[in-house]
Each structure stands twice: as C-alpha cells, then as structure tokens.
Amino acid sequence: MILKDKKILLGVSSSVAIYKSLELVRLLRKEGAEVTVVMTKNATKLISPLLFSAVSLRPTFFKMFTQEKNYLHLELVKAVNLFLIAPATANLISKIASGIADDLLTTAVLSSSCPIVIAPAMNVNMWQKKVVQRNIEKLKADGFYIIEPEEGELGCGEIGKGKMAEPEKIINFVKALIFEKKNFKLVITGGRTEREIDQIRVLTNRASGLLSVLLAETAYQLGYQVTLILGRSDYYPSLPIKVKRAFTNEEMLKAIREEIDNKTILIMNAAPTDYRMEKSFSFKVKEKEITIKLVRDIDILKELKNETLLLKVGFSCDDQDFLEEGEKKLKEKGLAICVVNPAETISSEEIKAILLFENGDKKELVKMKKKDFALKLLEEIELWLKEKHPIQ
Ligand SMILES: Cc1cc2nc3c(=O)[nH]c(=O)nc-3n(C[C@H](O)[C@H](O)[C@H](O)COP(=O)(O)O)c2cc1C
C-alpha cells in the first residue's frame, strides 16, 4: 500500500470519461490513500455525487457557498499530498490555465500548494484546437503535471487522440510522483557507443536511444535530479535535462564516474559496443578486401561492479536464451534489477520486458509502449527502494 496515509483530492469535471473516475477512487483507496472528490456542477449532471461518496466513503463536494463550511475551498486543500484532476474537460483546462476561480474545483486549484496532476479527456477536434494546446503548454510551464490523453475510439464514437489515460496508468503516475525522492539522483545512460574502423566508418549497433530519453523525461517530470549520458542517439530530450554526450565506452565510463555517488540510482540503458578493432586504420580504407580483428571492448557495467551506488539497473538484450543471459548479467555485474528484453525491442517503439530482481523475484510485463514502460520501470525502482532500502 504505497499510498498509505496519503491524502488525495480528486477533481472531476463533466467529460464522458467520468465513469473512469470511479475506478480511480477505488484504485487509490486500494493503495491506502484517503480520497476526497470535488466535482464541477456539470459533472454532477453525469454522475451523482452520492455514487462518488459511496466509493470513496467520504463526502463529495461541488458547492462553493454553503452554510456549513465557510471556507470549504481552503479546507479541501489543507494537508493534501496530491491534487488529481481526472477527467479534465477542455473547459476546465482553459479555466485553470487562465487562473479562473468561479466554482469550488477551480478555486481549490488556485488555493492549493501541492502537486497537481491533470488527465485531460475530450473529443479529438477539441484536443487539437490551438487554444487547448496553448493552454496545455501553459499549464506544463506553470508546473502542472499533464498525463497526455491516448489515441483510440473516443466516447463520442470518433477515433483519434483525446481518450483519458487508463486509470491504472494514472495511478502509476500518482504513485511515482508522491513517493519521496528528494535525496535521489538519477543517472541514465542511453543510445549507442561506437568504435572507429577507419576515419570514416564506425562499428556500432542499432540502439535508438528512445527509451533512455523517455526515462529521463519521465524521471524529470517526477522531480528527480536527472543526468542523461547519451551516446549516438536518434532522440534527444525536449525538457531541460542535463545531458552529457559520450560516444565511446571510455567516454561513457568516464562520464558515469563523474556523475555517480552513493546516493545515485544508475540506469544503464545504453548499448555500448561489445567489440572494437584491435587496431583501427588511420586512413580511409580503399582495398577490395580487408581482414580485421575484433577484440572485446571495455565492459562498462563490469568496470562499475564495485562502485557503491544506491541502486544499479542494467539491461540485457539478446536474440536467444535472453532469460539465462539476463540472470547471468544480474549476478556477474552486481545489478539490483536487470531488464531483460528480446532483440526485437531495439529500434522499436514497444517493449516486452521481464524484470529480474537480485532477490530472485521475476516480473513478466505485457508488451507496452516504451513511454509507458519508462514510468513502470521508475515505479518498480521506487517500490524496490521503499521495500528493500528505506531512505532515512
Ligand atoms: C455526454 C457529454 C460528454 C462530454 N464529454 C466531454 C469530454 O470528454 N471532454 C470535454 O472537454 N467536454 C465534454 N463535454 C462537454 C462539457 O461537459 C462542457 O464543455 C461543460 O461546459 C464543461 O463543464 P465543466 O468543465 O465545468 O465540467 C461533454 C458533454 C456531454 C453532455
């Protein structure tokens, strides 16, 4: 029960996705949270506040002016750990982005000092409207957390982006955000390293760098101090994350050593070169045929085996016996968690991973988008830290 004793205020507006809010209340309570629901007046026309009270086992609020409580908007946000607004209509998003406080929910938003997470839900045309996108960007810049809607069949029957994220995904986000992590520093490696064949050509691999960038961006949004050590990559973070470039195994090892200490969580997602030329050519090779000899390159994880870190996470990617290879890597490289994934993951937007833990536990995950996996892995890391190594 990772949310035990946490107080969550759930804001609900009048989207067709409102039925998912009931499931959100149930899941949050299952994790131990105390959930209070505050609705817009329009939302009460779609679902009765009584039903929310029946699921949350607490009163549900929507009236601003009552005889019983004069400062309800202030009372609601007192000692709240997180304010989750799901679903958020285009109307509500626009009001919050403009600082409007004309009902209980929007006034509570302005009165709150806790993190606010917004899960928009709307028709695809509404979502694509420039004014809505401007408001979303405004909210992000103001420090609100936005859980992007998904693509699919919408409540109105149309197909496109606008579907509220599934409750489980929202809960994972909330859990990851709420968990204390002020002392943690996250160093993520990503992309691929390379070795010269000659002055023009290189030996490298197909890693795209996508997952490391998603991991860095997600961790950054969750409040970690993040450093991304990035080799060659087809992707680059769009958030102001500290990025160090490192194109060979030596450069990557040096960059990691400069960044880590005993409070570091190191996620080694990069695909370093396994082999290098025994001797590279100092000129562009033009012969019809050449014979080259490859020798093992520096094994970065092995070099770091004896470093004292808070947590070391490695990745194992193979085309066969990948589970055995992962188990071997977990032990030999002194990892706390090894993410095992088949070779087809490389250059794909999806990943089907198995997580191996140092205590022998194993979690087989369903195939998912790398973006969702980034959040899932961070959540698993936080759970592992909380259960095995509680921070003082
Ligand atoms: C059945 C129904 C479903 C709706 N679904 C959405 C929706 O998913 N997203 C949205 O932005 N507006 C939706 N609307 C429109 C909003 O309810 C409307 O803009 C309303 O004024 C918003 O009020 P509120 O933000 O105060 O709840 C829906 C309306 C109806 C009648």
Side-chain angles (χ1 to χ4, degrees):
M1 298 232 285
I2 198 169
L3 299 179
K4 193 167 181 299
D5 302 328
K6 300 292 180 197
K7 286 187 191 331
I8 294 186
L9 190 58
L10 176 64
V12 173
S13 58
S14 61
S15 152
V16 65
I18 191 170
Y19 69 95
K20 292 185 183 173
S21 308
L22 292 165
E23 178 67 354
L24 276 173
V25 176
R26 192 185 71 80
L27 291 173
L28 287 167
R29 288 200 58 242
K30 202 171 139 210
E31 291 288 354
E34 179 189 292
V35 188
T36 305
V37 179
V38 54
M39 304 173 78
T40 64
K41 213 166 165 202
N42 286 333
T44 67
K45 293 175 190 155
L46 297 180
I47 289 189
S48 162
L50 193 69
L51 190 54
F52 277 106
S53 296
V55 183
S56 68
L57 301 182
R58 294 182 56 75
T60 297
F61 302 96
F62 63 96
K63 283 187 189 151
M64 178 80 197
F65 301 98
T66 64
Q67 282 295 340
E68 299 83 53
K69 288 184 196 288
N70 293 341
Y71 294 99
L72 180 57
H73 57 289
L74 300 181
E75 245 177 70
L76 280 175
V77 294
K78 214 179 269 171
V80 159
N81 297 95
L82 187 135
F83 196 163
L84 169 65
I85 302 176
T89 57
N91 174 59
L92 181 60
I93 286 167
S94 305
K95 288 207 289 188
I96 297 173
S98 308
I100 291 173
D102 65 350
D103 63 6
L104 186 60
L105 204 169
T106 48
T107 309
V109 169
L110 271 193
S111 314
S112 68
S113 54
C114 64
I116 303 183
V117 178
I118 296 180
M122 64 196 73
N123 167 275
V124 56
N125 294 330
M126 287 172 112
W127 176 251
Q128 284 171 352
K129 273 280 175 302
K130 282 190 177 154
V131 65
V132 171
Q133 286 307 310
R134 269 201 307 275
N135 286 332
I136 291 284
E137 289 311 313
K138 227 166 145 186
L139 289 173
K140 281 186 190 167
D142 285 354
F144 290 80
Y145 296 92
I146 307 289
I147 304 181
E148 292 265 321
E150 291 170 2
E151 293 207 17
E153 189 174 346
L154 307 175
C156 56
E158 284 186 53
I159 295 189
K161 191 168 178 180
K163 216 169 96 142
M164 187 173 88
E166 288 306 317
E168 200 177 313
K169 186 172 169 187
I170 296 176
I171 299 291
N172 286 343
F173 192 96
V174 166
K175 283 196 284 190
L177 186 58
I178 244 175
F179 182 52
E180 186 61 60
K181 53 192 159 292
K182 286 189 180 66
N183 295 326
F184 302 165
K185 187 172 161 193
L186 207 75
V187 176
I188 300 166
T189 70
R192 55 192 180 270
T193 59
E194 63 187 23
R195 284 293 183 181
E196 271 187 7
I197 295 175
D198 62 20
Q199 287 202 318
I200 310 282
R201 301 161 182 116
V202 290
L203 277 174
T204 188
N205 56 62
R206 291 198 171 119
S208 68
L210 174 61
L211 182 56
S212 66
V213 170
L214 293 172
L215 275 165
E217 287 184 341
T218 310
Y220 178 84
Q221 285 174 328
L222 294 176
Y224 283 100
Q225 304 166 46
V226 182
T227 303
L228 175 63
I229 300 173
L230 194 59
R232 296 282 174 209
S233 170
D234 308 341
Y235 299 87
Y236 196 86
S238 54
L239 299 173
I241 291 165
K242 179 175 172 189
V243 180
K244 278 188 160 182
R245 301 309 299 256
F247 301 123
T248 64
N249 292 12
E250 277 106 340
E251 285 172 9
M252 194 162 271
L253 182 59
K254 182 168 173 279
I256 294 169
R257 285 208 161 114
E258 284 166 2
E259 290 296 323
I260 55 176
D261 58 34
N262 60 0
K263 289 221 170 95
T264 302
I265 299 167
L266 175 64
I267 305 181
M268 288 283 301
N269 177 235
T273 46
D274 294 316
Y275 296 96
R276 63 175 174 80
M277 299 273 286
E278 186 177 44
K279 195 171 177 326
S280 59
F281 298 96
S282 56
F283 51 88
K284 185 182 172 192
V285 181
K286 294 203 173 109
E287 282 80 357
K288 259 193 168 173
E289 242 179 47
I290 53 166
T291 303
I292 56 172
K293 186 172 175 193
L294 299 180
V295 292
R296 290 302 289 194
D297 206 340
I298 296 172
D299 185 335
I300 300 177
L301 266 179
K302 207 163 151 193
E303 294 287 329
L304 294 169
K305 189 176 174 187
N306 296 322
E307 298 280 350
T308 313
L309 301 173
L310 190 60
L311 181 76
K312 227 182 291 171
V313 181
F315 279 69
S316 174
C317 184
D318 261 285
D319 56 354
Q320 53 192 329
D321 302 332
F322 43 86
L323 206 51
E324 290 78 2
E325 288 300 322
E327 272 157 4
K328 208 166 108 191
K329 197 164 187 176
L330 184 80
K331 286 195 189 93
E332 283 179 3
K333 312 281 166 76
L335 303 176
I337 304 173
C338 183
V339 181
V340 177
N341 53 132
E344 70 216 33
T345 301
I346 286 203
S347 300
S348 162
E349 288 196 1
E350 292 188 322
I351 177 167
K352 183 170 181 348
I354 301 170
L355 306 183
L356 303 178
F357 297 83
E358 63 179 349
N359 63 357
D361 282 358
K362 187 169 99 179
K363 276 192 190 170
E364 199 160 343
L365 305 179
V366 294
K367 194 172 193 172
M368 61 179 86
K369 293 246 181 254
K370 284 185 173 170
K371 197 172 178 187
D372 297 332
F373 176 76
L375 184 60
K376 177 76 185 153
L377 181 60
L378 290 167
E379 189 206 2
E380 288 293 340
I381 288 171
E382 290 189 358
L383 275 175
W384 189 94
L385 284 172
K386 198 171 187 199
E387 283 166 19
K388 314 278 183 233
H389 289 239
I391 304 299
Q392 301 311 310

